[in-house]
């Protein structure tokens, strides 16, 4: 099979135009092209008056050699990659001690699914609730300011990615095409098939809920087991005569003990009490960079016009997004994060007395505002004190935001014009903030480090040069965005195991090895494969009974 890239057509082309376009491009007769599939479809909007779809296509041909011969030196024609997934291990008969996955977010869910498909019948521990019960608790915060610490945007089946835009693209290197496996499993679970080929696929929260349920049922049918409300409070680690530390089990809430020699640690970036328990139990941790900032909202129509020109509002293109970065004179990088076209800003707190924001969109992306994080880089030098110091740094600014919002989970908000002028907002303008349970106009400079305030004030006018109107006076900023990524890394070796604890496999965002649904899912596959290989090795070393 051959792959053809960079085939361009007008955005209003009919579906039946693709086949003749391929024939013309490669000088084929009708009978030479047996079939084709769309591997990728994006669009080029650099010329707003001439936006085009750009296709990558996999072609089934009667005579590949002949087609290659007629198109010598064509850099856009080559062999289609093999994107089929093959499991690296199969569970042997009578294996002992089922693997345990801690966390049912995108990484843990995918790791559990792969382990189940390999026949290892994993046990999946989730401190929160099943996804629909968790959804009710999350809406209670948004509608009534009632926070449930174990069931919210951060904790529960599906993880933080459930209440997001459901973005499924990533900049990670993926030579094994594991991202394709993640996407295929999502489609089996009910995601639209277009995620397999559109350039910036997304799903949206409502679809994610049903998909998570479907994947859970699949794991259970394959012999896996879910335990909800199962919070891990510590590890049982055995130290051998040679000083090697090995996993032997887990201490759960209310005194329960679970034997486990192979544990996938997919806890997400907000399991702060678990991070503390890991440090107490001697697991190697290290501080890592992350970012802090605010959510900014504009009318989606403004972003559409700026990005798509006369094609703004075209349903084939959907709501426009953006990606921005500015290197400030104080040495900080300021960039847009988790941009949500046609979405809402949501309350994402997981601890009482602390306020966190995030962004979310439904599949339709039909809300009136666009929102994105505008965040500033933070390094461990900004919060000295060890691997857990970044958590305390986050908590400090979350507490300041909670107070500035009025202490009711209302969020502090400010007009961009007032923020740039260095004055507090007393009222808001034409951009109506979407955050629930509501906002309090104030001065966001009290909720962010001085260097972040200075960097964002410098960046906004620069962003306005790329997107006209970005620094409009009535655009709304809502604080604070602190959970961009994990503030620490649970460092692992080439075998995906903790540097100093054999049998512990740190994974996903919480471990510092992913950033988003797709990369977390890919990391879950890699770690599940490593667990399978390790379990096969352990099985061979066990004496015959």
């Amino acid at each position: 099979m051959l792959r053809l890239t960079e085939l361009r057509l007008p955005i209003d082309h009919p579906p039946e135009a693709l086949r003749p376009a391929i024939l013309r491009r490669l000088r084929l007769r009708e009978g030479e092209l047996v079939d084709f599939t769309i591997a990728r479809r994006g669009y080029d909007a650099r010329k707003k008056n001439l936006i085009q779809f750009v296709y990558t296509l996999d072609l089934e041909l009667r005579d590949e050699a002949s087609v290659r011969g007629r198109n010598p030196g064509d850099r856009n024609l080559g062999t289609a990659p093999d994107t089929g997934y093959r499991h690296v291990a199969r569970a042997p008969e009578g294996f002992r001690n089922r693997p345990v996955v801690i966390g049912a977010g995108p990484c843990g869910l995918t790791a559990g699914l792969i382990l189940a498909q390999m026949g290892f019948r994993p046990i999946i521990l989730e401190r929160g609730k099943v996804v629909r019960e968790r959804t009710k608790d999350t809406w209670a915060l948004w509608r009534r300011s009632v926070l449930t610490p174990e069931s919210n945007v951060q904790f529960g089946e599906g993880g933080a990615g459930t209440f997001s835009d459901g973005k499924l693209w990533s900049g990670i290197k993926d030579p094994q095409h594991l991202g394709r496996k993640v996407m295929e499993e999502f489609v089996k679970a009910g995601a639209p098939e277009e995620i397999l080929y559109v350039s910036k696929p997304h799903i949206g929260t409502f679809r994610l809920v049903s998909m998570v349920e479907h994947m859970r049922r699949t794991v259970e049918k394959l012999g896996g087991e879910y335990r909800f409300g199962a919070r891990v409070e510590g590890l049982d680690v055995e130290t051998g005569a040679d000083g090697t530390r090995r996993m032997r089990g887990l201490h759960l809430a209310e005194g329960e003990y679970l034997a486990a020699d192979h544990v996938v640690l997919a806890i997400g970036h907000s399991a702060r009490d678990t991070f503390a328990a890991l440090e107490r139990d001697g697991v190697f941790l290290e501080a890592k960079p992350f970012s802090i900032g605010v959510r900014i909202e504009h009318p989606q129509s403004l972003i559409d016009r700026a990005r798509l020109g006369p094609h703004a509002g075209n349903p084939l293109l959907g709501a426009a997004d953006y990606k921005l970065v500015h290197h400030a004179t104080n040495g900080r990088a300021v960039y847009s994060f988790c941009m949500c076209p046609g979405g809402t800003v949501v309350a994402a707190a997981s601890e009482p007395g602390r306020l966190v924001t995030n962004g979310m969109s439904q599949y339709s992306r039909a809300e009136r505002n666009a929102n994105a994080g505008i965040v500033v880089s933070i390094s461990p030098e900004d919060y000295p004190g060890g691997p857990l110091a970044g958590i305390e740094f986050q908590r400090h600014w979350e507490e300041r935001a909670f107070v500035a919002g009025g202490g009711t989970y209302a969020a502090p908000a400010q007009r961009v014009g007032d923020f740039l002028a260095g004055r507090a907002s007393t009222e808001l303008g034409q951009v109506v903030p979407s955050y629930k349970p509501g906002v309090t106009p104030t001065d966001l400079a009290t909720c962010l480090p001085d260097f972040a305030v200075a960097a964002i004030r410098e960046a906004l006018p620069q962003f306005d040069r790329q997107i006209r109107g970005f620094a409009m006076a009535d655009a709304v900023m809502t604080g604070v965005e602190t959970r961009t990524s994990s503030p620490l890394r649970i460092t692992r070796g080439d075998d995906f195991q903790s540097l100093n604890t054999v049998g512990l496999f740190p994974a996903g965002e919480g471990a510092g090895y992913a950033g988003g649904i797709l990369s977390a899912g890919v990391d879950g596959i890699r770690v599940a494969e490593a667990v399978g290989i390790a379990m096969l090795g352990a099985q061979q070393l066990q004496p015959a009974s």
Side-chain angles (χ1 to χ4, degrees):
M1 184 172 287
L2 297 185
R3 171 163 286 187
L4 176 65
T5 63
E6 289 292 317
L7 181 68
R8 295 170 177 265
L9 289 173
I11 61 170
D12 58 354
H13 75 82
E16 59 269 21
L18 261 176
R19 187 178 185 90
I22 297 169
L23 298 178
R24 289 193 302 272
R25 173 69 175 74
L26 297 177
R27 295 176 291 170
L28 302 178
R29 293 183 295 274
E30 175 62 39
E32 293 182 283
L33 178 60
V34 177
D35 200 3
F36 68 91
T37 57
I38 301 172
R40 186 177 185 273
R41 188 193 73 193
Y43 65 81
D44 183 348
R46 286 175 295 179
K47 296 180 180 178
K48 296 182 177 58
N49 291 320
L50 187 63
I51 296 179
Q52 296 176 308
F53 278 131
V54 183
Y55 287 93
T56 296
L57 303 152
D58 289 338
L59 314 178
E60 183 181 350
L61 300 159
R62 294 202 182 280
D63 188 345
E64 289 186 7
S66 173
V67 175
R68 285 182 180 272
R70 273 176 274 165
N71 297 274
D74 190 335
R75 293 180 297 177
N76 298 124
L77 184 66
T79 302
D82 180 2
T83 59
Y85 180 77
R86 299 165 187 85
H87 293 104
V88 301
R90 289 287 176 184
E93 292 292 331
F95 70 89
R96 304 176 185 179
N97 283 356
R98 297 157 67 183
V100 175
V101 178
I102 305 174
C107 180
L109 178 59
T110 308
L113 177 65
I114 297 299
L115 286 167
Q117 289 175 345
M118 291 191 293
F120 286 103
R121 298 184 292 111
I123 298 170
I124 300 168
L125 306 179
E126 171 54 56
R127 68 189 293 170
K129 298 179 182 180
V130 296
V131 67
R132 290 196 186 269
E133 290 299 315
R134 173 197 180 196
T135 300
K136 294 177 184 177
D137 292 335
T138 300
W139 278 97
L141 173 61
W142 296 349
R143 291 173 172 170
R144 305 194 308 276
S145 299
V146 177
L147 173 66
T148 303
E150 294 293 315
S151 182
N152 46 62
V153 165
Q154 309 296 346
F155 297 139
E157 185 182 21
T162 304
F163 298 96
S164 70
D165 189 42
K167 296 179 185 67
L168 297 176
W169 70 87
S170 172
I172 61 171
K173 295 181 180 179
D174 186 18
Q176 298 169 292
H177 305 286
L178 299 182
R180 177 77 181 190
K181 169 66 171 174
V182 175
M183 298 287 207
E184 288 174 348
E185 293 297 342
F186 285 174
V187 170
K188 291 178 186 176
E193 193 167 355
E194 69 181 32
I195 70 170
L196 295 175
Y197 61 84
V198 295
S199 61
K200 293 183 178 180
H202 73 283
I203 300 175
T205 290
F206 287 165
R207 290 188 182 222
L208 281 166
V209 168
S210 60
M211 286 168 51
V212 166
E213 291 176 321
H214 185 282
M215 295 176 76
R216 184 211 318 153
R217 291 192 295 269
T218 300
V219 170
E220 290 173 336
K221 287 178 182 177
L222 292 170
E225 176 186 348
Y226 277 75
R227 299 185 187 180
F228 293 97
R231 187 177 72 251
V232 175
E233 295 191 337
L235 309 182
D236 178 14
V237 179
E238 177 183 270
T239 303
D242 62 353
T244 301
R245 292 161 41 92
R246 296 183 181 276
M247 283 296 308
R248 288 294 178 253
L250 301 169
H251 299 287
L252 308 184
E254 301 181 0
E256 184 181 357
Y257 178 82
L258 179 64
D261 294 338
H262 299 87
V263 176
V264 177
L265 191 64
I267 54 178
H269 58 41
S270 293
R272 293 165 167 175
D273 50 356
T274 309
F275 291 143
L278 293 171
E279 184 184 53
R280 185 184 65 240
D281 291 335
V283 175
F284 184 82
L285 313 173
E286 58 183 335
K288 63 173 277 294
F290 62 102
S291 300
I292 188 171
V294 298
R295 279 271 147 187
I296 191 167
E297 291 188 86
H298 301 87
Q300 181 63 50
S301 58
L302 181 149
I303 304 300
D304 290 344
R305 289 193 301 272
R307 304 297 282 177
L308 303 177
H311 295 283
N314 188 316
L316 294 173
L317 300 176
D321 62 4
Y322 57 79
K323 186 176 182 179
L324 302 167
V325 64
H326 172 69
H327 297 282
T329 53
N330 65 3
R332 304 286 174 167
V334 186
Y335 61 97
S336 60
F337 170 78
C338 186
M339 194 272 158
C340 296
T344 55
V345 180
V346 299
S350 59
E351 296 178 331
R354 300 186 175 106
L355 195 140
V356 184
T357 62
N358 197 6
M360 185 182 86
S361 294
Q362 298 301 344
Y363 178 72
S364 64
R365 291 178 165 175
E367 300 296 332
R368 77 177 105 182
N369 288 351
N371 78 81
I374 298 296
V375 296
V376 180
S377 59
I378 304 284
S379 72
E381 287 73 26
D382 294 312
Y383 53 90
L388 301 184
I391 293 173
E392 295 310 311
F393 184 91
Q394 290 173 325
R395 281 173 166 160
H396 170 77
W397 298 108
E398 291 169 12
E399 289 167 3
R400 294 284 291 268
F402 183 77
V403 171
T408 63
Y409 296 105
Q414 190 172 16
R415 295 170 63 250
V416 164
D418 292 332
F419 178 80
L420 291 174
R423 59 176 179 260
S425 288
T426 57
E427 60 183 6
L428 300 177
Q430 62 175 308
V431 180
V432 178
S434 59
Y435 177 95
K436 302 295 182 187
V439 302
T440 301
T442 186
D443 183 1
L444 284 173
T446 66
C447 308
L448 294 169
D450 289 344
F451 62 78
V453 173
I456 295 173
R457 281 182 177 149
E458 181 181 318
L460 290 175
Q462 297 301 316
F463 293 161
D464 194 80
R465 294 182 178 181
Q466 300 177 57
I467 299 177
R468 186 63 59 87
F470 198 87
M472 65 181 290
D474 278 357
V476 176
M477 299 165 59
T478 308
V480 290
E481 176 99 15
T482 56
R483 312 283 180 94
T484 55
S485 66
S486 179
L488 57 83
R489 176 169 286 113
I490 310 170
T491 316
R492 67 194 187 195
D494 293 339
D495 60 359
F496 292 89
Q497 298 185 67
S498 162
L499 287 185
N500 71 341
T501 307
V502 176
L504 184 66
F505 294 79
E509 282 205 44
Y513 289 98
I517 294 173
L518 184 61
S519 63
V522 168
D523 201 56
I525 294 177
R526 290 172 175 158
V527 169
E529 292 177 341
V531 170
I533 292 170
M535 291 190 68
L536 288 180
Q539 182 74 11
Q540 292 171 358
L541 294 174
Q542 289 177 354
S545 55

